[in-house]
Amino acid sequence: MTLDLFATAHDDTDTGQAPADVLGPGAFLLRGFARSRLSVLQGDIDAVVALAPLRHWLTPGGKRMSVAMTNCGDVGWISDRAGYRYGSHDPLSKQRWPSMPASFTALAREAAEAAGYRGFAPDACLINRYSPDARLTLHQDRDERDLDAPIVSVSLGLPATFLWGGLHRSDRTRRVRLEPGDVVVWGGPSRLVYHGIAGVEGSFDAQAVRYNLTFRRAR
């Protein structure tokens, strides 16, 4: 895979180039890639949440997740005592998940292409909201039928510490600070790498949170 990340990524600098970190084979952190779009993205997040409110899913073992979640797109990720899966309808409202906003689709496609993954067409976007006490333990994204498509993950709001591991849960993890507007893209040999969020930087403002958009090709 031949990449020209510095020529294709966006930010607000005078050069128009955003730095990119290589996390592993086929895995890249595009620093500031979405920085100029944060207000538009947040407005679209609010519109989705108005239709499909955030909620704390249960794990199959019955534990309440600390991260609040919702979805948009053709399908959405669901977790409850029946297991992890994708479904076309919100189990709370029984309605289809809201359509994916155009701003989401465009960003996911452009970030994937900047990382060398052309033609990415996500059909699912998981929206996560992290309060300062929320965590996401190491896990793999493996509920998707199409494991050839990459994952695109976008950060908004409070900074966070991203955990990047290996193909086994016991592998050593790297701690990476994510700022608002940073985008992580991974696929290929790194598609099933374990990853998570160790925590977000706290704030005295109770309304201050971190949002994360995770784009996938689920079906």
Side-chain angles (χ1 to χ4, degrees), residues 1-216:
M1 184 182 296
T2 301
L3 302 179
D4 188 8
L5 293 170
F6 290 88
T8 54
H10 310 297
D11 77 353
D12 297 327
T13 64
D14 293 338
T15 63
Q17 298 175 345
D21 293 346
V22 177
L23 299 178
F28 306 92
L29 166 55
L30 308 181
R31 294 193 178 276
F33 191 92
R35 189 175 299 144
S36 64
R37 316 185 197 194
L38 291 177
S39 61
V40 172
L41 294 173
Q42 186 61 60
D44 284 338
I45 289 172
D46 294 342
V48 170
V49 170
L51 296 173
L54 291 151
R55 74 291 308 266
H56 295 269
W57 294 122
L58 294 178
T59 67
K63 185 177 179 181
R64 180 180 182 270
M65 292 184 175
S66 64
V67 180
M69 303 179 180
T70 191
N71 295 278
C72 61
D74 294 339
V75 291
W77 187 81
I78 300 166
S79 176
D80 56 25
R81 289 185 179 274
Y84 305 127
R85 62 196 185 279
Y86 283 93
S88 59
H89 288 68
D90 182 339
L92 299 184
S93 69
K94 310 304 180 184
Q95 301 296 314
R96 295 192 66 89
W97 293 108
S99 298
M100 194 179 302
S103 66
F104 287 18
T105 305
L107 173 58
R109 183 183 65 250
E110 292 168 23
E113 185 169 346
Y117 298 100
R118 298 184 183 278
F120 179 51
D123 59 2
C125 176
L126 175 63
I127 301 173
N128 290 343
R129 186 189 66 192
Y130 293 81
S131 59
D133 62 345
R135 306 287 186 272
L136 194 61
T137 58
L138 287 174
H139 65 282
Q140 296 171 303
D141 289 354
R142 60 181 311 148
D143 299 318
E144 300 75 34
R145 294 180 185 175
D146 185 0
L147 295 180
D148 291 328
I151 303 292
V152 175
S153 178
V154 183
S155 292
L156 302 89
L158 294 176
T161 300
F162 180 58
L163 299 176
W164 180 257
L167 295 177
H168 303 281
R169 188 185 296 275
S170 59
D171 290 343
R172 186 174 181 178
T173 58
R174 174 182 174 186
R175 298 171 71 91
V176 181
R177 191 172 192 268
L178 296 181
E179 300 276 0
D182 287 349
V183 181
V184 183
V185 183
W186 67 95
S190 294
R191 176 59 178 76
L192 292 178
V193 161
Y194 278 88
H195 57 283
I197 293 292
V200 300
E201 294 189 5
S203 170
F204 292 108
D205 181 358
Q207 300 302 313
V209 296
R210 173 183 186 257
Y211 282 97
N212 173 250
L213 307 176
T214 303
F215 297 96
R216 302 166 177 147

